[in-house]
């Protein structure tokens, strides 16, 4: 099973979202917070510019069940 927000592999029975995508109470982080964290991770991991990381993150988030219909990802 993978996190429906970021795609990270998870143990069965953990819920829909991983520990990196949730608030302390177990709710999904809001879009802006998750987007920013994913962009920062992309910059560190891939060495991309901020602009490149934002484009890549938006494209990836469009494939994730938690975000694919989010209005901020509309084409």
């Amino acid at each position: 099973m993978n996190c429906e927000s970021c795609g990270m592999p998870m143990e069965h029975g953990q819920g829909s979202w991983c520990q990196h995508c949730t608030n302390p109470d177990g709710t999904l982080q809001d879009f802006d917070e998750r987007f920013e964290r994913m962009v920062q991770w992309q910059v560190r991991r891939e060495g991309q510019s901020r602009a490149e990381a934002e484009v890549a993150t938006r494209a990836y988030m469009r494939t994730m069940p938690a975000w694919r219909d989010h209005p901020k990802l509309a084409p």
Side-chain angles (χ1 to χ4, degrees):
M1 176 174 183
N2 293 338
C3 175
E4 293 184 7
S5 173
C6 73
M8 177 180 235
M10 301 185 331
E11 301 271 334
H12 181 68
Q14 272 187 300
S16 298
W17 310 304
C18 72
Q19 64 184 3
H20 304 289
C21 293
T22 55
N23 296 310
D25 67 358
T27 58
L28 183 63
Q29 293 169 352
D30 69 26
F31 176 86
D32 292 328
E33 181 176 1
R34 183 80 319 251
F35 178 76
E36 181 60 30
R37 290 181 182 205
M38 290 175 80
V39 166
Q40 289 174 10
W41 182 83
Q42 190 77 0
V43 167
R44 284 190 311 271
R45 180 175 167 254
E46 300 295 329
Q48 294 177 329
S49 71
R50 171 84 190 188
E52 291 170 324
E54 285 184 6
V55 169
T57 299
R58 279 190 187 91
Y60 185 71
M61 289 178 85
R62 284 185 188 107
T63 70
M64 298 281 71
W67 306 115
R68 64 178 161 224
D69 295 323
H70 196 279
K72 289 188 176 181
L73 294 175

